Amino acid sequence: MTLFSQKVLLRAALFGVALFFGWNAGATKVETYQDLIEKAYNLSLQKDRLQAINLLVSATQKESKKGPPPKELLVALEEVSTVFYSDKAQQTFELALSLRSSDPALAVSKLNEAARLEPDNLQIMLEQIRLQISSGDCDGALKVVQKHRERNPYSEDLRLVLAQSLVCHGKFQEFQALRGPGDLKKNGRELYWQRLDLEHAFRTGAFAKGRDLAVQFSKNEPTFPEFFYWTWKLNQSLKVVDERSGTKYLTMCKSLSSRLMRQFQAEPRLCRNVAEVEAETKKNVTPSE
């Protein structure tokens, strides 16, 4: 039994005891969002993920009318959306992740296999969308993520892949509206939004501003290769020779550990521009006489 299942069983048991004593006391109990969380965990334990998600989204929408939704609701929604119910599905998913950079086509096949086992698992869906973006299927990625966002508008990971799909598609006004001025440091996804800011700057011609941001971001997170790529790319647009950033990007990507690959899993284009940088680097090498 997984740790998640053990936790759900314990919560369900405690919830049942509380209800028993409440009924025996003859008290009329108004259903709270905490009660709905317990119901959702019980539904999840029965592998009824979709109904559990719908219940929690409905509860979150109701609580949001009073103010910011309770953290417990959002945590529960994340848990029931992403938990694996079977070892087979999780193993297939993990295999897909390991194949992501070396054999993307096989990774897609394995993700499809995992999705057949657990069709509503958010972890699987997110990785499928990321691979669509990585392969350049911007339109397909956007359609898929919009469909899932209608079901669950509270997932920060879905919000991020929506932004990535919008930038991939060149829908910059929609991206900026989604980006907003919020403090992204709170949810641990800041560097991915910053990377999108750099691509947005490049594709809208704000080269100098983008280059300055890229230099700043790379100092703050020196293990993320994409900041060095965009520093190189934006300098190239400014007609500034920047062998250092290009070389740094190539070195980091060619020695990227499995730990860092997993750490930066949320970046669809991680180290996807190696061939471009290599080609430009060779062009700039002066032949020896």
Side-chain angles (χ1 to χ4, degrees):
M1 180 182 292
T2 65
L3 179 61
F4 176 82
S5 298
Q6 292 172 355
K7 180 166 64 173
V8 171
L9 277 173
L10 178 60
R11 290 184 179 182
L14 292 173
F15 180 57
V17 170
L19 285 180
F20 174 80
F21 284 109
W23 287 334
N24 278 276
T28 301
K29 189 172 184 297
V30 177
E31 192 171 54
T32 66
Y33 75 81
Q34 290 94 341
D35 298 329
L36 296 176
I37 288 173
E38 296 300 336
K39 283 186 176 182
Y41 278 128
N42 279 315
L43 286 167
S44 184
L45 190 61
Q46 298 166 39
K47 300 184 180 181
D48 192 348
R49 191 195 310 270
L50 194 54
Q51 190 173 342
I53 290 172
N54 290 339
L55 184 66
L56 289 170
V57 168
S58 178
T60 305
Q61 289 171 334
K62 182 179 178 181
E63 293 298 321
S64 296
K65 294 177 182 178
K66 309 172 188 177
K71 184 179 179 181
E72 303 99 302
L73 268 173
L74 298 177
V75 169
L77 181 56
E78 176 74 10
E79 286 184 344
V80 301
S81 297
T82 59
V83 65
F84 279 94
Y85 294 141
S86 72
D87 290 337
K88 176 66 174 174
Q90 185 164 12
Q91 289 166 3
T92 306
F93 173 76
E94 295 292 338
L95 178 57
L97 290 185
S98 70
L99 294 165
R100 183 179 177 184
S101 59
S102 61
D103 194 340
L106 186 54
V108 169
S109 175
K110 290 300 176 182
L111 283 172
N112 291 341
E113 182 181 337
R116 285 191 292 272
L117 294 169
E118 297 193 13
D120 298 309
N121 188 308
L122 182 59
Q123 288 197 66
I124 299 171
M125 287 186 252
L126 287 168
E127 194 58 26
Q128 288 177 310
I129 296 166
R130 289 175 188 135
L131 280 175
Q132 283 182 293
I133 295 170
S134 176
S135 68
D137 183 10
C138 309
D139 187 59
L142 185 56
K143 288 177 181 176
V144 172
V145 72
Q146 285 174 332
K147 173 185 174 184
H148 292 302
R149 280 267 294 180
E150 289 175 4
R151 178 185 299 168
N152 178 6
Y154 299 103
S155 167
E156 284 298 324
D157 285 316
L158 274 174
R159 180 169 173 259
L160 175 60
V161 292
L162 174 58
Q164 290 166 335
S165 300
L166 289 170
V167 171
C168 178
H169 208 293
K171 295 180 177 291
F172 299 125
Q173 286 188 337
E174 293 178 44
F175 161 69
Q176 287 184 301
L178 184 68
R179 175 71 162 91
D183 182 7
L184 298 169
K185 291 182 180 179
K186 293 179 181 178
N187 60 37
R189 298 166 183 83
E190 182 184 26
L191 77 163
Y192 306 111
W193 288 93
Q194 291 173 338
R195 176 252 179 267
L196 289 173
D197 290 339
L198 298 180
E199 183 173 353
H200 174 256
F202 171 76
R203 293 176 64 182
T204 56
F207 303 134
K209 178 183 176 182
R211 187 269 313 278
D212 292 344
L213 286 174
V215 170
Q216 176 190 328
F217 295 160
S218 62
K219 289 179 181 177
N220 295 338
E221 184 48 82
T223 62
F224 189 48
E226 296 310 297
F227 289 152
F228 293 94
Y229 168 75
W230 285 106
T231 303
W232 173 84
K233 186 74 172 175
L234 287 155
N235 269 327
Q236 188 182 49
S237 300
L238 292 166
K239 310 299 180 186
V240 175
V241 176
D242 184 14
E243 293 182 5
R244 178 187 172 277
S245 296
T247 301
K248 180 76 172 176
Y249 171 75
L250 292 176
T251 301
M252 292 175 74
C253 287
K254 290 181 179 181
S255 62
L256 198 64
S257 67
S258 56
R259 180 185 66 82
L260 283 177
M261 288 179 66
R262 188 60 182 261
Q263 180 180 328
F264 299 136
Q265 178 186 337
E267 173 49 56
R269 297 285 302 166
L270 183 65
C271 290
R272 292 293 183 184
N273 297 295
V274 168
E276 176 196 356
V277 179
E278 281 183 330
E280 287 297 320
T281 302
K282 289 177 182 177
K283 281 167 54 177
N284 294 327
V285 172
T286 305
S288 58
E289 296 183 3

